[in-house]
Amino acid sequence: MNELKQIRTALISVFYKENLDKIVRELQRLNVQIYSTGGTLNFINELGVSATAVEELTSYPSILGGRVKTLHPKIFGGILARRDNENDLFQLQEYQIPEIDLVIVDLYPFEETVASGAKETEIIEKIDIGGVSLIRAAAKNFKNVAIIASRNQYDDLLELLESKNGVTGIDDRRKFATDAFNTTSNYDVAIFNYFSGDFPKPAFKQSIQEIKTLRYGENPHQKGVFYGSFDNLFDQIHGKEISYNNLLDIDAAVNLIAEFTESTIAILKHNNACGLASRSTLAQAWHDALAGDPVSAFGGVIIANRVIDPKTASEMNTLFFEVVIAPGYHSEALSTLASKKNRIILLQKDINLPKYQYRSLLSGALVQERDSSTEAEKNMKPITAKTPSKEELSDLVFANKIVKHSKSNAIVFAKNQQLIASGVGQTSRVDALKHAIEKAIGFGFDLKGAVMASDAFFPFPDCVEIADKAGITAVVQPGGSVNDQKSIDYCNEHGMAMVSTGIRHFKH
């Protein structure tokens, strides 16, 4: 079979007509016979290009308000006929069916209609039937037919028409077919997810069209890609290519900083906060965030929820770090931060965090709702004789936000809206606590008057006892242990304040 095919006939029926004119005129130059429908036919005729109505070919009108236009053997026969099959060619001649070499068809904007908040009757009308059928038929017969299923492919087709004078190779057609099946499968996933309602769905189906190939995965010997629209969330102003591990830290940083409304800077390392402070000025927030753990901050990711000013940038620039994220940068600050050629500088856009989280494991995937619970002062239920002071209560809320975004088992110490130390990712809550104490002392913090947050309950009173002896005066934890009363009793006996939220924040 000859793998090179000259385009002599084309079927064009599209919803989006932007930039179609160049293709139509090029087809005219190549003397291609064009078949078309409805609004597309009118568009082509208005360009002064001759085209034949599908109704003229099929001898059948468009019916049911346009729902049935191209679903006809004279259309599908011309697309699906195998050019190396004598019986197929005989039937084409017998039923006067023309071969169709090129199909340009897109799909009704179903996802856009759903996103617009339209009524269901309008949404249903945007479920394409003929378009999907034409695309799949042409893609199936890619050995003979070229299929263009999206306006995003117009440039590729135009280049082919101009450079090869309408001759397609098997690799061209197979690539177009691959893109076509991607288009229809994505479309079907969107329709399924609309009809299947909210969580949980009867099957796991996700379709993400954007892809970014990474230098490698978590380690250099692993391949890695990112599926998603990073550019819709950030503008990369400066720096090297973003890595797999950078993306993990960026995700953790964005989720963490979203908890804070005051001027705040957070420093993260391996998805955990190693420094965080809320202050009246960004420069002071940076100074106090860095003080929390200046060792771990080296090579970390920094995120701010305010425009970074020159003073803050100048102080930040003394530290080696991989990524900085902010909603804006003063020009002088940007020049300072960009002085390191590989440093990644991201401008964060407005981000709507997804409602669900996905994780692959074993032979399938885990899906859960995002942990969207953030406990305020009103959610802090006193369970001891002593209640927290106003300052302690504010710090408990602050610490609880941080521990929510720390790997379990996690303990967080805070004082005056500053992360003093944390112990994260430990197999024992006692180990997490001891690690936090060791770090706090190592960096010169006085824990007297500091507060402690735990991501889960205390199974025994040993944690509050150790914390008390280190200087902690108030504790927040979710509660729920059969031994809760033992921890409460210890606090009552030693003058500690404890509040319960009723909400556990495990993070694995």
Side-chain angles (χ1 to χ4, degrees), residues 115-325:
S116 73
K119 295 180 180 179
E120 183 161 272
T121 52
E122 185 177 346
I123 291 172
I124 298 303
E125 287 305 312
K126 289 299 185 290
I127 297 177
D128 208 313
I129 304 301
V132 171
S133 302
L134 290 167
I135 291 169
R136 288 179 64 86
K140 177 178 180 177
N141 199 20
F142 71 91
K143 289 184 178 180
N144 301 287
V145 179
I147 171 63
I148 300 300
S150 167
R151 53 184 168 172
N152 296 329
Q153 298 173 289
Y154 284 0
D155 288 344
D156 292 338
L157 175 61
L158 187 61
E159 181 182 356
L160 185 149
L161 294 174
E162 291 174 342
S163 64
K164 297 183 179 180
N165 285 319
V167 175
T168 65
I170 187 66
D171 290 339
D172 299 321
R173 298 191 299 276
R174 189 181 189 93
K175 173 62 167 61
F176 287 145
T178 300
D179 292 340
F181 284 124
N182 179 33
T183 296
T184 57
S185 64
N186 178 73
Y187 198 73
D188 285 339
V189 167
I191 295 170
F192 167 81
N193 284 330
Y194 171 77
F195 274 92
S196 60
D198 213 339
F199 183 80
K201 296 179 181 293
F204 179 74
K205 296 181 187 293
Q206 291 294 315
S207 179
I208 302 174
Q209 297 292 79
E210 298 85 359
I211 180 174
K212 179 180 178 64
T213 302
L214 305 174
R215 296 197 306 272
Y216 50 81
E218 200 161 8
N219 299 291
H221 64 279
Q222 297 170 272
K223 294 180 180 179
V225 297
F226 170 66
Y227 291 98
S229 184
F230 187 84
D231 293 341
N232 285 345
L233 308 178
F234 305 95
D235 286 329
Q236 182 170 351
I237 301 173
H238 181 80
K240 64 182 180 180
E241 184 180 350
I242 293 172
S243 71
Y244 182 101
N245 292 326
N246 289 153
L247 287 169
L248 290 175
D249 282 328
I250 290 166
D251 177 70
V254 167
N255 280 274
L256 174 61
I257 204 70
E259 302 282 359
F260 299 91
T261 56
E262 308 84 354
S263 294
T264 301
I265 285 184
I267 308 170
L268 291 90
K269 196 72 171 287
H270 295 294
N271 313 151
N272 294 295
C274 58
L276 192 151
S278 296
R279 294 291 183 262
S280 59
T281 68
L282 209 58
Q284 190 61 48
W286 164 252
H287 178 272
D288 292 344
L290 181 62
D293 187 345
V295 175
S296 296
F298 184 86
V301 170
I302 300 168
I303 189 165
N305 63 358
R306 297 288 191 276
V307 174
I308 295 182
D309 57 88
K311 180 180 179 181
T312 304
S314 179
E315 295 186 13
M316 291 169 63
N317 202 43
T318 61
L319 175 75
F320 168 74
F321 57 89
E322 292 232 340
V323 182
V324 59
I325 310 164

Side-chain angles (χ1 to χ4, degrees), residues 384-406:
T384 52
K386 183 180 179 181
T387 58
S389 67
K390 181 179 179 181
E391 291 76 15
E392 287 174 332
L393 187 58
S394 178
D395 280 339
L396 289 170
V397 171
F398 177 88
N400 199 54
K401 290 177 180 179
I402 300 172
V403 83
K404 168 186 172 181
H405 293 274
S406 303

